[in-house]
Amino acid sequence: MVGERLKRILPLGKRGFLGILLVVVLLGAGVLYGVLGVPHVVGVDNEFGEVTNQTTGIQTALVVANPNPIDIKAGNTSVNYTVEMNGVTMANGSQSNLHLEKGNTTLRFSTKMRNDKIPEWWVTHIRNGEHTTLRIHSKVHSSLVKKSVDVPYSNDINTDIISGFNSTKTRPINASVPFVSDPVLYVNETSANWGEVTRSKTPIRMRMRVYNPKSVTYTVSEIGYEMTMNGIAVGNGTTEQPYTIPGKSEKTLRMRTIIQNDQLDDWWVSHLRNDQRTDLKIRFYAKIELPSGKTVRVPLRQLTYEKRIQTHIFENDSAEGTLASANVTAGNGGTTTHNTVTDDGTGTTTHSTTPATDSSTSATTGTTTATTTGATGTTTTATTTTTTDGGGLLGDLLAEMHRSV
């Protein structure tokens, strides 16, 4: 009987026993039937952690609010979260059998994303007009109150990589060779747009409107380019056909530059290590056949394209700064639970959990599960047993009642 068990727990008089029993019954009924409130996520904070050539650390803090006047440890209370960029899963994880103190509890995850997922995201970013929607889905479920609460969060990430190449500024092209008067050509206009991006290549279609100021014909036999991002070579190539430009006339030269997507994971590492900044540079050269029959290689320095790309991924989250704090306290109390997942890129996952401690409470046991998804769709899961703070006297009474219902 519940009454007999409570008598053994509480060595009180009859009136005191009945008073405590009434409080426990009311509190237990309120939680069981959802009257007192369902735990829910009130804030999310994500930051990039350690970046290696193979993996990118993502640290996540979920602030979960327990609106009830007692701790919750009875029943299966779980939290799931997923970080997506344009639908590409970048990190995910979960914790179950949680102990939630009254007030706020901060759950901390540390997940490692494989960098070879970056080309997959890049394709979606370019196809979407250089736009990414970062979404964080977090859900708190409590089987004790038979309810789940979803807390969606989104943030837009936009870049403008190639529009700066669009220009109507006239620029001279000098051969800088003996017995040839410069300039040999003028570039009156340049423009660029994205081609049809594939999983392996990102093409940029470029056009140059060129004027020949001489009275003789010039033939541009080749235009070449070299593209770097933070000094990392991501593409190079040449035009597919020569162009003949008669004297005193203008012609549009077309070329296609290619970003090799398999180089983007190396670029990604440099981008994050450089505080989410990238310096894009495209250098051009031309091979021009002179009237004398000589072909000269001319660096097109006036056409060198430079662009700084700055992103703000995970900045201004709903609980920005939470990760910098060891504990978050709100209402009547709070605690922090740390959860670490490590993916070495081979499919092997190790997992450790460090809970916050409170000398005034006893300990109980919970289960934590964290999941990482690789670029190939392979999912690895690790489970461990965690020790979290006990619920105090009322928590013990509520748990005892719950087992007897």
Side-chain angles (χ1 to χ4, degrees), residues 80-358:
N80 297 277
Y81 81 97
T82 302
V83 180
E84 296 179 350
M85 293 170 65
N86 281 348
V88 178
T89 299
M90 309 303 283
N92 55 32
S94 66
Q95 287 191 10
S96 60
N97 288 339
L98 297 173
H99 170 113
L100 299 180
E101 289 190 350
K102 55 186 177 181
N104 285 7
T105 300
T106 301
L107 307 174
R108 298 185 61 173
F109 302 84
S110 181
T111 308
K112 287 190 176 181
M113 178 192 73
R114 288 171 49 176
N115 294 339
D116 54 13
K117 294 174 65 68
I118 294 304
E120 180 183 359
W121 158 74
W122 170 269
V123 171
T124 70
H125 183 72
I126 301 302
R127 286 178 176 173
N128 206 28
E130 295 191 53
H131 173 79
T132 290
T133 299
L134 169 67
R135 299 187 188 278
I136 303 174
H137 303 279
S138 50
K139 176 188 289 186
V140 179
H141 174 77
S142 176
S143 61
L144 182 63
V145 296
K146 307 299 182 185
K147 289 185 178 180
S148 296
V149 177
D150 290 296
V151 184
Y153 168 81
S154 65
N155 187 32
D156 291 329
I157 302 168
N158 297 288
T159 59
D160 184 10
I161 298 175
I162 62 174
S163 68
F165 192 73
N166 300 326
S167 173
T168 57
K169 179 182 178 181
T170 297
R171 285 155 285 183
I173 302 300
N174 298 321
S176 300
V177 295
F179 311 113
V180 176
S181 61
D182 289 327
V184 293
L185 296 171
Y186 287 97
V187 175
N188 291 330
E189 183 179 358
T190 56
S191 60
N193 59 11
W194 295 107
E196 186 63 33
V197 61
T198 67
R199 188 174 183 86
S200 60
K201 296 180 179 180
T202 303
I204 305 174
R205 295 191 294 254
M206 293 185 167
R207 294 170 298 280
M208 303 178 187
R209 192 160 55 86
V210 178
Y211 175 73
N212 179 2
K214 308 298 185 180
S215 59
V216 296
T217 298
Y218 283 143
T219 298
V220 179
S221 60
E222 179 179 296
I223 297 178
Y225 71 92
E226 296 175 351
M227 186 185 312
T228 60
M229 299 172 73
N230 283 344
I232 297 171
V234 295
N236 60 75
T238 61
T239 51
E240 298 177 355
Q241 62 182 20
Y243 289 90
T244 299
I245 309 173
K248 305 297 182 180
S249 67
E250 190 176 68
K251 181 166 285 191
T252 298
L253 282 56
R254 303 177 187 275
M255 66 179 300
R256 191 174 72 150
T257 59
I258 301 291
I259 297 175
Q260 302 294 337
N261 294 348
D262 59 2
Q263 302 296 319
L264 292 176
D265 49 352
D266 292 334
W267 155 75
W268 172 259
V269 172
S270 72
H271 183 70
L272 294 186
R273 288 177 175 173
N274 201 33
D275 295 328
Q276 297 194 45
R277 288 194 304 268
T278 289
D279 290 320
L280 168 69
K281 181 175 289 189
I282 308 177
R283 298 180 178 90
F284 299 93
Y285 69 88
K287 289 185 177 180
I288 303 175
E289 293 182 10
L290 303 176
S292 63
K294 181 179 180 180
T295 298
V296 293
R297 189 181 191 274
V298 180
L300 304 180
R301 296 186 181 90
Q302 297 86 346
L303 298 184
T304 297
Y305 179 64
E306 298 179 282
K307 179 77 172 185
R308 169 159 288 186
I309 305 166
Q310 178 77 61
T311 60
H312 303 278
I313 304 172
F314 294 147
E315 293 185 13
N316 301 316
D317 286 345
S318 57
E320 188 71 27
T322 301
L323 285 163
S325 175
N327 293 283
V328 174
T329 304
N332 294 321
T335 187
T336 303
T337 300
H338 305 275
N339 177 47
T340 302
V341 180
T342 302
D343 186 343
D344 62 6
T346 64
T348 303
T349 302
T350 59
H351 180 204
S352 63
T353 301
T354 306
T357 58
D358 187 340

Side-chain angles (χ1 to χ4, degrees), residues 321-401:
T322 301
L323 285 163
S325 175
N327 293 283
V328 174
T329 304
N332 294 321
T335 187
T336 303
T337 300
H338 305 275
N339 177 47
T340 302
V341 180
T342 302
D343 186 343
D344 62 6
T346 64
T348 303
T349 302
T350 59
H351 180 204
S352 63
T353 301
T354 306
T357 58
D358 187 340
S359 59
S360 64
T361 59
S362 58
T364 186
T365 300
T367 302
T368 301
T369 303
T371 306
T372 55
T373 303
T376 61
T378 303
T379 301
T380 56
T381 303
T383 303
T384 189
T385 300
T386 30
T387 302
T388 56
D389 298 344
L393 181 61
L394 287 178
D396 292 335
L397 292 175
L398 180 58
E400 190 71 34
M401 271 191 64

